[in-house]
Structures are given as structure tokens and as C-alpha cells.
Amino acid sequence: MGALATREERAADGPQYTSRPELALSAVLYLMSRFPATHSAAVADAVVDHLRIVCADPRLPACVRETADKLIGDWAAYGALSDRELLPDGSLAN
């Protein structure tokens, strides 16, 4: 897979949650807990990828899948904001 792979293709290359879907949920919770310390766009993007995996797995409870679906937009925005340059005072550069 080349450097221009889509998020979906990158997610498909990662861990396979076919036998234990709860591992995807565990991974997304861990990733979410790491974001405040890093403000990394890569971490936010990984959260989005894992939320999509959780959303798509019918073995997980519907309420969990619905919550994951509602969070995707927020985490995509966090990733986009993290791509912007932060100034030393923590504000965003124009």
C-alpha cells in the first residue's frame, strides 16, 4: 500500500477485530485518552478510524455503535485543528 492510501485502506491493514470486536472499542478508548497529551492529528485520525470500525460491527451493542457514529465528526475536527500550527501560547496561527 502506498503513501496515498485512504484511511479505510490503512484501517483495513491494521489489527483485525474479527474474533474479538471489543478490542476495537478498547483501542479507541485508549487512543482517546492519549489525545489530550499529544494533540496529534495522527492520534485523532486513528480515533476516527477506530470509531468507524466500532460503528460498522453489528456484534457490538447498538447504543455503542450509535455513540461512535455521533463522535466521528468531532474527532475528525480535532484532527483537522491539530494539523494547524500552534503558537507558544497555545493559540492557533492564522
Side-chain angles (χ1 to χ4, degrees):
M1 177 171 316
L4 299 178
T6 65
R7 281 193 186 138
E8 290 78 16
E9 290 168 334
R10 288 192 308 269
D13 281 346
Q16 299 300 308
Y17 301 114
T18 55
S19 62
R20 297 190 57 202
E22 71 277 9
L23 293 178
L25 183 56
S26 178
V28 77
L29 291 172
Y30 176 79
L31 289 165
M32 287 174 161
S33 76
R34 299 311 313 144
F35 182 78
T38 64
H39 291 272
S40 165
V43 172
D45 291 346
V47 168
V48 171
D49 291 342
H50 281 77
L51 288 170
R52 287 184 175 139
I53 291 168
V54 169
C55 273
D57 197 323
R59 298 172 294 175
L60 293 170
C63 63
V64 171
R65 290 182 284 126
E66 290 167 9
T67 300
D69 185 53
K70 291 176 183 176
L71 291 171
I72 289 172
D74 291 340
W75 281 93
Y78 298 153
L81 286 172
S82 297
D83 281 339
R84 295 179 62 190
E85 182 182 349
L86 288 179
L87 298 174
D89 68 356
S91 63
L92 291 172
N94 291 328

